[in-house]
């Protein structure tokens, strides 16, 4: 039964050395964020592409860059709280590929298949576990960083702002899921975790490079080709509040990307022979 | 009674290379079927096909009398294939507990029983990473034994085991067939080890099934061989082949050992003498399993 496979995957994962390294890594990230809050530093991976209502529109990740430091705007606080999103992207990708490939590497998948279990179910169970783990980490990370930013800046959020922020974090996670699934698919197709990591590095670097070639009025073909890169949506999603079409594009990516990648995984798993 | 494993014309090709070529075997309930072959002969390929790790190029597989829905039937299998499949970060108990959960086996007694069986019940919090080769192998065997499967498929199960554990595992395998009606397919290149407990043999060579034989028949054949010492072995072999139609023999120096037509010693002697070959000795002798296998391989 699928639920048994998932329970076993969770059992193994929670006792694995990898799971135990997540906690100190998580603490380290939060610690770094605290250093930025205490200091006067600005974290930036990407930059502003314009502004609306006095708030910069960010392409990438920027933290602690307030137009008026004494009166931070809501979206500036959100930027700061999510400024380690690029690090989280790598961490989540590594976590996902580690979870989805661990049993293939240890031979446990072989044992399960020999006992009549479906490769597709085994893989899907790992995807669900990966999403659960990264989801918990993502929301915990964002909750903590937002809390710390608010405390650091002596600010608070209204109920409506909390809902907006939660919506933002959820949309971001959905876009990240496409990237994680892409990494898991690459690892599945190539039997290599390194390939998925290299792919992510390439995609991360490809977006700013492509944008520098695009100019102010990029053509439709250029737009289409660059929009296939899910990392582009990761970069631009933080300004969807000012450019609603970016949210539509993100949902199209999620709605098309996830089924396509899942179909690719299933096709591969149905033909995969284990040696 | 239903046949536990039946393959017909089972073939696995990788490009032009046929790793397994038209192999047809039958394993009956309660048998300990020893799959014998040199490295690369096709034993592991056959096991991979039976366990669903690979798909046949052609031919058919039946498990427990079913040719379709094989994955359902594979729930009745416990397997050890190549190296033991372990989560190295987990203890022996945790490894088995995870497998127990995955297979939906109710009750933790399954884990205790399997650990007791392979002597790993007292390894405590020691991770599998810190286990010796033999301990890992025993844990792999415990995973195969978990839940008392009806069919055990074991690829080189005694690899890395010390002699004491080889005996223990062998006894356990025999006990399972006798007391629980389990069926076992075991591959090994340790023929002397297999000879101690296998009840049926399949000899594989270059991907083909060279012979399928019961242990009784095998022992009967190994007990008898005809050693003939001659002055001109080359000519003697020609006479044996062309005049007497004998094909299964080995030649070492001036000695020829026949493994067929053993009850026709007088006629063979007469035929050689009539051809002008001096026969200085002629006696019945026994063969080891290794000798027999070598014979089979030569004839294949």
């Amino acid at each position: 039964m699928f639920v048994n496979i998932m329970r076993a995957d969770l059992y193994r994962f929670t006792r694995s050395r990898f799971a135990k390294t997540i906690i100190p890594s998580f603490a380290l990230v939060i610690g770094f964020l605290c250093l930025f809050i205490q200091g006067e530093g600005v974290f930036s991976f990407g930059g502003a592409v314009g502004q609306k209502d006095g708030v910069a529109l960010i392409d990438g990740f920027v933290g602690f860059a307030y137009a008026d430091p004494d009166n931070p705007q809501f979206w500036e606080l959100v930027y700061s709280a999510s400024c380690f999103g690029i690090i989280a992207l790598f961490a989540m990708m590594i976590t996902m590929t580690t979870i989805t490939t661990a049993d293939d590497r240890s031979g446990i998948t072989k044992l399960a298949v020999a006992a009549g279990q479906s490769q597709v179910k085994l893989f899907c169970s790992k995807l669900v576990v990966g999403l659960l783990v990264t989801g918990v980490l993502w929301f915990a990370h964002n909750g903590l960083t937002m809390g710390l930013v608010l405390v650091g800046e002596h600010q608070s959020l209204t109920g409506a702002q909390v809902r907006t922020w939660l919506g933002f974090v959820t949309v971001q996670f959905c876009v990240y899921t496409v990237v994680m699934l892409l990494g898991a698919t690459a690892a599945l197709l190539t039997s290599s975790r390194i390939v998925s990591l290299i792919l992510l590095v390439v995609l991360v670097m490809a977006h700013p490079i492509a944008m520098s070639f695009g100019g102010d009025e990029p053509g439709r073909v250029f737009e289409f080709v660059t929009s296939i890169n899910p990392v582009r949506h990761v970069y631009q999603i933080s300004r969807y509040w000012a450019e609603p079409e970016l949210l539509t594009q993100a949902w199209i990516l999620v709605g098309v990307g996830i089924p396509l990648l899942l179909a690719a995984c299933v096709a591969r798993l149905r033909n995969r022979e284990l040696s | 009674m239903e046949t536990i494993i039946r393959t017909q014309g089972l073939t696995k090709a990788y490009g032009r290379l046929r790793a397994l070529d038209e192999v047809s075997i039958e394993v009956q309930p309660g048998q300990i079927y020893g799959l014998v072959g040199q490295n690369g002969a096709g034993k592991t390929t056959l096991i991979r096909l039976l366990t669903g790790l690979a798909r046949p190029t052609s031919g058919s597989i039946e498990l427990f009398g079913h040719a379709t829905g094989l994955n359902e039937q594979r729930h009745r299998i416990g397997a050890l294939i190549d190296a033991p499949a372990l989560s190295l970060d987990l203890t022996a108990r945790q490894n088995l507990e995870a497998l127990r959960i995955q297979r939906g086996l109710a009750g933790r007694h399954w884990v205790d029983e399997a650990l007791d069986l392979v002597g790993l019940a007292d390894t405590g919090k020691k991770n599998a990473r810190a286990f010796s080769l033999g301990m890992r192998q025993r844990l792999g065997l415990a995973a195969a034994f978990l839940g008392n499967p009806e069919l055990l498929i074991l690829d080189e199960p005694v690899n890395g085991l010390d002699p004491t554990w080889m005996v223990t595992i062998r006894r356990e395998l025999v006990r399972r067939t006798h007391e629980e009606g389990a069926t076992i397919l075991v591959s090994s290149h340790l023929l002397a080890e297999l000879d101690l407990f296998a009840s049926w043999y399949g000899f594989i060579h270059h991907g083909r099934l060279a012979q399928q034989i019961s242990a009784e028949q095998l022992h009967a054949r190994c007990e008898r061989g005809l050693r003939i010492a001659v002055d001109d072995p080359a000519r003697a072999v020609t006479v044996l082949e062309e005049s007497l139609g004998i094909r299964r023999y080995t030649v070492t120096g001036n000695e020829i050992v026949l493994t067929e037509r053993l009850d026709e010693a007088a006629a063979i002697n007469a035929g050689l003498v009539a051809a002008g070959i001096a026969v200085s000795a002629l006696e019945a002798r026994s063969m080891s399993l290794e000798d027999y296998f070598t014979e089979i391989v030569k004839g294949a």
Side-chain angles (χ1 to χ4, degrees):
Chain A
M1 272 172 69
F2 185 73
V3 70
N4 288 335
I5 298 172
M6 234 178 76
R7 281 175 58 214
D9 285 338
L10 272 170
Y11 182 92
R12 285 195 194 94
F13 176 76
T14 51
R15 287 157 181 80
S16 69
R17 197 161 61 172
F18 181 76
K20 287 165 191 161
T21 61
I22 283 179
I23 306 298
S25 306
F26 188 80
L28 202 66
V29 170
I30 301 298
F32 264 117
L33 189 100
C34 289
L35 288 179
F36 278 99
I37 291 170
Q38 295 304 317
E40 296 295 320
V42 172
F43 179 87
S44 172
F45 190 87
V49 293
Q51 66 164 33
K52 185 178 180 186
D53 305 332
V55 177
L57 299 178
I58 302 301
D59 194 76
F61 303 89
V62 175
F64 312 101
Y66 306 110
D68 175 7
D70 295 329
N71 186 26
Q73 298 295 301
F74 167 70
W75 280 103
E76 289 176 328
L77 293 170
V78 173
Y79 291 158
S80 296
S82 61
C83 67
F84 285 166
I86 189 71
I87 298 169
L89 183 62
F90 277 90
M92 288 160 75
M93 168 82 120
I94 290 168
T95 302
M96 181 59 97
T97 50
T98 300
I99 289 173
T100 53
T101 57
D103 285 1
D104 291 352
R105 293 161 73 97
S106 67
I108 287 169
T109 304
K110 274 201 303 191
L111 206 58
V113 170
Q117 285 170 346
S118 140
Q119 287 199 57
V120 173
K121 281 186 185 173
L122 290 166
F123 183 76
C124 287
S125 156
K126 281 155 192 62
L127 277 184
V128 173
V129 170
L131 286 175
L132 276 175
V133 172
T134 53
V136 167
L137 287 174
W138 173 251
F139 284 98
H141 159 248
N142 277 282
L144 267 171
T145 52
M146 178 53 96
L148 288 167
V149 166
L150 292 176
V151 170
E153 301 300 326
H154 309 291
Q155 298 293 316
S156 61
L157 299 180
T158 64
Q161 284 175 328
V162 169
R163 282 193 294 276
T164 305
W165 167 73
L166 274 174
F168 168 69
V169 172
T170 305
V171 171
Q172 260 191 320
F173 183 72
C174 291
V175 176
Y176 280 36
T177 298
V178 178
V179 182
M180 287 192 284
L181 193 53
L182 182 65
T185 308
L188 178 68
L189 293 176
T190 62
S191 305
S192 166
R193 292 174 180 171
I194 296 294
V195 168
S196 64
L197 195 60
I198 291 171
L199 178 66
L200 180 59
V201 172
V202 168
L203 293 177
V204 165
M205 301 310 292
H207 172 65
I209 293 170
M211 288 302 109
S212 68
F213 286 109
D216 293 336
E217 294 288 329
R220 295 183 72 174
V221 174
F222 179 87
E223 272 293 307
F224 174 75
V225 171
T226 54
S227 68
I228 293 172
N229 179 359
V231 175
R232 169 183 163 158
H233 302 273
V234 168
Y235 274 74
Q236 65 187 20
I237 195 65
S238 53
R239 59 177 198 274
Y240 79 82
W241 59 275
E243 300 171 53
E245 69 276 13
L246 297 181
L247 186 61
T248 308
Q249 288 174 15
W251 285 127
I252 290 171
L253 175 84
V254 171
V256 174
I258 290 178
L260 268 181
L261 289 166
L262 281 176
C265 289
V266 169
R268 169 66 181 143
L269 288 164
R270 286 198 171 145
N271 290 308
R272 183 169 75 158
E273 295 193 346
L274 299 165
S275 59
Chain B
M1 276 199 294
E2 65 187 5
T3 300
I4 303 296
I5 299 173
R6 176 181 286 128
T7 71
Q8 287 184 323
L10 197 61
T11 300
K12 179 66 182 175
Y14 296 99
R16 298 169 77 178
L17 174 73
R18 287 190 161 215
L20 210 61
D21 193 1
E22 301 273 341
V23 168
S24 301
I25 65 165
E26 280 195 11
V27 181
Q28 301 300 333
Q31 280 184 356
I32 300 180
Y33 190 103
L35 209 51
V36 183
Q38 297 164 323
N39 291 335
K43 305 186 297 289
T44 302
T45 303
L46 177 56
I47 285 178
R48 288 178 61 227
L49 293 175
L50 292 174
T51 51
L53 303 184
R55 285 170 193 78
T57 307
S58 61
S60 66
I61 298 172
E62 276 182 35
L63 294 173
F64 301 98
H66 294 80
T68 55
L70 291 181
N71 273 350
E72 269 309 302
Q73 302 307 319
R74 287 187 180 114
H75 291 308
R76 301 158 77 177
I77 296 177
L80 172 69
I81 307 164
D82 296 333
L86 310 171
S87 291
L88 297 179
D89 298 338
L90 271 57
T91 65
R93 181 173 295 280
Q94 288 170 339
N95 263 288
L96 294 189
E97 179 63 11
L99 283 176
R100 184 190 71 79
I101 295 169
Q102 194 171 40
R103 292 180 192 172
L105 295 169
R108 294 193 173 171
H109 66 280
W110 292 116
V111 172
D112 295 326
E113 283 173 20
L115 285 172
D116 283 338
L117 203 64
V118 298
L120 293 174
D122 57 354
T123 49
K125 293 182 176 175
K126 192 174 184 179
N127 286 346
R129 191 182 303 281
F131 282 9
S132 66
L133 180 66
M135 289 169 82
R136 289 184 188 191
Q137 187 73 5
R138 277 150 55 198
L139 186 51
L141 283 163
F145 293 150
L146 194 68
N148 283 356
E150 294 166 65
L151 170 63
L152 281 164
I153 297 183
L154 308 172
D155 191 8
E156 307 282 2
V158 295
N159 262 2
L161 295 187
D162 62 42
T164 312
W165 277 108
M166 284 167 92
V167 172
T168 307
I169 296 301
R170 189 195 313 143
R171 283 185 183 151
E172 174 59 19
L173 295 179
V174 172
R175 187 195 68 75
R176 279 177 181 251
T177 57
H178 289 172
E179 293 178 15
E180 293 170 14
T183 306
I184 299 169
L185 177 83
V186 53
S187 90
S188 181
H189 57 265
L190 299 173
L191 301 183
E193 170 64 23
L194 267 186
D195 192 30
L196 295 170
F197 67 106
S199 58
W200 203 269
Y201 292 89
F203 293 101
I204 291 194
H205 185 58
H206 288 329
R208 299 186 77 96
L209 184 69
Q211 193 172 68
Q212 195 169 217
I213 187 172
S214 73
E216 288 80 15
Q217 288 173 309
L218 178 66
H219 289 146
R221 288 187 189 180
C222 282
E223 276 167 14
R224 294 180 61 214
L226 196 62
R227 184 180 73 86
I228 310 169
V230 292
D231 62 340
D232 186 348
R235 207 153 62 85
V237 163
T238 308
V239 172
L240 287 172
E241 287 192 1
E242 293 182 358
S243 303
L244 302 168
I246 292 170
R247 295 280 182 274
R248 288 177 47 202
Y249 57 82
T250 54
V251 180
T252 312
N254 283 346
E255 189 177 285
I256 301 170
V257 178
L258 307 188
T259 53
E260 63 176 327
R261 314 260 295 270
L262 304 181
D263 47 359
E264 296 175 30
I268 291 166
N269 184 37
L272 290 171
V273 171
I277 295 162
V279 177
S280 56
L282 191 146
E283 61 175 353
R285 49 157 278 188
S286 61
M287 289 169 88
S288 69
L289 191 56
E290 278 87 358
D291 290 337
Y292 187 81
F293 176 65
T294 309
E295 283 299 311
I296 294 289
V297 165
K298 274 187 183 170

